[in-house]
Amino acid sequence: MIHLMGAAQLDVVRAFSTSGSDRFTDEMEWETLPSGEPLLAAAPWALRCRITHRVPVGGSLLLAAAVHEIRGHPGKAEPLVYHDRSFHQLSDQSRIV
């Protein structure tokens, strides 16, 4: 499951991006789908995927996946982007026309 989080969920995003931190705690409001994947309730969008390729890149592993289901929540979430080793909130003012 790939969760696309909004700027309001920065605390959850930091928990998942910090090595050794607690994940899928009761405070994060999550559930297990019938297919077995965990779903974070606060995620504006979640993608159920099947991994198609694994490619070692340096000390990391690049995954390619096919999306099987898209789950979205109505409402507007301010986008959150990770760039140059920091998180950024996007808004109408950050849009390039």
Side-chain angles (χ1 to χ4, degrees):
M1 183 68 71
I2 298 172
H3 295 88
L4 304 176
M5 306 299 282
Q9 289 87 30
L10 184 57
D11 55 336
V12 175
V13 171
R14 286 184 194 238
F16 277 86
S17 64
T18 303
S19 181
S21 68
D22 291 333
R23 297 179 179 125
F24 298 107
T25 65
D26 291 339
E27 295 79 31
M28 292 179 185
E29 297 181 40
W30 66 282
E31 63 182 277
T32 302
L33 297 177
S35 52
E37 299 98 333
L39 175 67
L40 293 168
W45 296 97
L47 311 174
R48 268 192 71 238
C49 301
R50 180 181 54 81
I51 297 172
T52 58
H53 295 85
R54 292 173 173 85
V55 181
V57 179
S60 298
L61 187 63
L62 175 68
L63 300 177
V67 177
H68 290 281
E69 180 184 0
I70 300 172
R71 291 176 169 253
H73 296 284
K76 183 178 178 181
E78 293 297 327
L80 179 66
V81 176
Y82 186 75
H83 172 69
D84 199 18
R85 298 190 179 269
S86 61
F87 293 102
H88 304 269
Q89 178 178 345
L90 299 183
S91 67
D92 288 339
Q93 289 75 30
S94 61
R95 182 175 47 181
I96 299 173
V97 180

